[in-house]
């Protein structure tokens, strides 16, 4: 009975908005717009790229904050007290997010970028592509997972507590895991820039969002919900603006080899399907409910692509293969995750049947 009451009291995010549902289309349009702008107005685009301080591009840094802070405003670290209620599901998600996903992506990147697709990819960008894939897999999803959980009837308090726990871990684990995997992949680790990226794009946004959340909650729950509804479009708008700038720089490389995006999508697709399936199966083996297994599988598979894009640009630059690889993750995120949602919903009968 207590669980039923807690589930009713938990926040239930709204279904996908038009922007979220058609994110792939908007990203594709941004690719086209960015390439066109880069070809027609190369001077202004290059000028924006030079607006840097300590390897941090100021316009992009501002856009990243506008992108990330509204998402982090939804995270309630007080929900960490709920972790013990579903420790098996939490354990599975943590195992997949931090012990499997970054390492499996590094392996897939090595396999496809350095071997399978190597003859068709620019050799001087191979390391950068692998680095982008690693950055994409090293940060678990923060915001969109609330939408995926809603679409599968996922336990809202489990989803909230898992996201809060992942965000807390990410502050400390993102840089070491990225550094380790880059090192294992024989890629030079720019530790100073990596740590700066963690502070700029994780630590400071988390602190600002939680301070803002506290102020809003002091005015009543309605103030928080009203603010979230008002600033919700900010995140995707800032993301799309960032992509236009990024493809303004990437346009020449893409026009020269248009299949690069498709080749980079292959390891990302395999990674999503493998990790979601692994988390889903492990939850079933451990006896967790379907309402916990669904968000666990979705959190285990999806990525905090906004952070990955920001870190890739800071570490390797606008024109890098790393930046392009992280954007491919944005491009396929929605259709692939909707596929996972459909699979876990359709397999509920199988999941709940007795062995």
């Amino acid at each position: 009975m207590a669980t039923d009451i807690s589930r009713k009291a938990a926040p239930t995010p709204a279904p996908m908005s038009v922007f979220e549902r058609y994110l792939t289309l908007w990203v594709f349009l941004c690719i086209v717009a960015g390439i066109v702008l880069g070809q027609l107005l190369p001077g202004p685009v290059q000028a924006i790229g030079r607006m840097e301080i300590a390897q941090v591009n100021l316009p992009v840094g501002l856009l990243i904050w506008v992108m990330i802070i509204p998402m982090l405003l939804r995270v309630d670290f007080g929900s960490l007290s709920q972790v013990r209620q579903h420790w098996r599901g939490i354990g599975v998600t943590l195992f997949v997010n931090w012990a499997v996903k970054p390492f499996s992506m590094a392996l897939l990147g090595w396999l496809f970028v350095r071997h399978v697709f190597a003859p068709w990819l620019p050799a001087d960008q191979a390391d950068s592509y692998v680095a982008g894939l690693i950055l994409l897999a090293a940060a678990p999803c923060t915001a969109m997972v609330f939408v995926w959980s809603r679409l599968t009837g996922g336990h809202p308090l489990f989803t909230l507590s898992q996201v809060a726990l992942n965000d807390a871990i990410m502050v400390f684990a993102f840089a070491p895991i990225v550094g380790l995997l880059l090192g294992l992949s024989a890629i030079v680790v720019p530790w100073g820039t990596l740590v700066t990226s963690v502070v700029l794009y994780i630590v400071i946004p988390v602190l600002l969002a939680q301070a803002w959340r506290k102020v809003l909650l002091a005015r009543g729950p309605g103030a928080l919900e009203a603010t979230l509804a008002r600033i919700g479009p900010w995140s995707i708008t800032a993301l799309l603006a960032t992509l236009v700038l990024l493809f303004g720089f990437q346009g020449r490389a893409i026009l020269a080899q248009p299949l690069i995006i498709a080749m980079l999508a292959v390891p990302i697709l395999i990674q999503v399907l493998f990790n979601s399936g692994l988390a889903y199966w492990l939850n079933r083996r451990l006896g967790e409910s379907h309402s916990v297994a669904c968000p666990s599988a979705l959190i285990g598979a999806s990525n905090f692509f906004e952070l990955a894009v920001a870190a890739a640009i800071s570490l390797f630059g606008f024109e890098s293969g790393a930046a392009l690889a992280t954007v491919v993750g944005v491009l396929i995120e929605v259709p692939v995750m909707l596929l996972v949602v459909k699979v876990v919903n359709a397999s509920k009968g199988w999941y709940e049947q007795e062995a």
Side-chain angles (χ1 to χ4, degrees):
M1 182 65 70
T3 301
D4 293 338
I5 294 173
S6 65
R7 289 187 63 173
K8 290 178 182 178
T12 53
M16 296 180 75
S17 67
V18 174
F19 268 118
E20 292 168 336
R21 184 171 294 278
Y22 297 104
L23 181 59
T24 298
L25 173 61
W26 311 135
V27 172
F28 176 77
L29 293 176
C30 285
I31 292 175
V32 175
I35 292 174
V36 170
L37 286 175
Q39 301 303 305
L40 296 180
L41 302 171
V45 172
Q46 295 292 332
I48 293 174
R50 290 192 295 268
M51 297 173 63
E52 292 185 348
I53 295 179
Q55 292 185 283
V56 175
N57 184 274
L58 298 181
V60 172
L62 178 60
L63 287 171
I64 295 298
W65 277 26
V66 175
M67 192 190 310
I68 292 177
I69 290 176
M71 298 177 178
L72 295 176
L73 192 60
R74 297 180 180 274
V75 178
D76 177 14
F77 285 102
S79 65
L80 290 175
S81 60
Q82 303 291 327
V83 167
R84 290 175 296 176
Q85 294 187 15
H86 297 284
W87 61 270
R88 289 171 297 185
I90 293 286
V92 166
T93 317
L94 292 179
F95 171 70
V96 172
N97 276 158
W98 299 105
V100 177
K101 187 167 69 170
F103 298 90
S104 64
M105 183 60 99
L107 175 62
L108 290 169
W110 170 82
L111 175 64
F112 284 97
V113 174
R114 297 190 190 277
H115 296 278
V116 177
F117 297 139
W120 301 281
L121 293 171
D124 61 332
Q125 290 285 3
D127 286 350
S128 192
Y129 292 139
V130 173
L133 295 174
I134 289 171
L135 287 167
L136 189 64
C141 186
T142 292
M144 289 293 284
V145 74
F146 289 110
V147 176
W148 311 137
S149 179
R150 170 78 173 188
L151 294 176
T152 60
H155 195 300
L157 282 180
F158 169 82
T159 306
L160 192 61
S161 58
Q162 180 70 75
V163 168
L165 183 58
N166 272 336
D167 281 354
I169 293 173
M170 192 158 47
V171 171
F172 304 100
F174 181 76
I177 287 179
V178 169
L180 171 64
L181 291 176
L182 291 182
L184 292 176
S185 301
I187 300 170
V188 176
V189 182
W191 278 105
T193 308
L194 180 57
V195 172
T196 299
S197 298
V198 170
V199 173
L200 283 177
Y201 302 128
I202 302 179
V203 178
I204 294 177
V206 165
L207 294 176
L208 290 176
Q210 290 304 301
W212 191 4
R213 180 184 176 90
K214 185 176 181 180
V215 170
L216 291 172
L217 287 175
R219 302 175 187 171
L224 176 60
E225 294 303 319
T227 300
L228 288 173
R230 187 171 64 254
I231 69 175
W234 293 7
S235 293
I236 291 183
T237 302
L239 172 64
L240 297 181
T242 303
L243 297 186
V244 171
L245 289 176
L246 192 151
F247 280 101
F249 287 93
Q250 294 281 353
R252 188 175 303 171
I254 293 172
L255 290 174
Q257 293 181 289
L259 290 179
I260 287 178
I261 291 178
M263 287 186 281
L264 292 176
V266 172
I268 298 173
L269 176 62
I270 294 173
Q271 181 249 0
V272 170
L273 297 178
F274 170 73
N275 286 297
S276 60
L278 177 62
Y280 194 55
W281 177 77
L282 287 174
N283 275 286
R284 185 175 187 267
R285 292 287 296 174
L286 293 174
E288 266 293 2
S289 67
H290 189 259
S291 65
V292 168
C294 288
S296 176
L298 295 162
I299 296 170
S302 54
N303 305 300
F304 191 176
F305 52 73
E306 296 86 355
L307 173 62
V309 171
I313 293 172
S314 294
L315 292 172
F316 301 101
F318 269 113
E319 299 181 74
S320 67
L324 180 60
T326 57
V327 171
V328 175
V330 185
L331 182 64
I332 70 172
E333 172 88 2
V334 172
V336 175
M337 293 309 298
L338 285 175
L339 173 62
V340 176
V341 166
K342 185 175 183 179
V343 170
V344 297
N345 283 339
S347 63
K348 184 176 181 181
W350 166 82
Y351 187 94
E352 294 182 340
Q353 70 182 4
E354 293 184 1

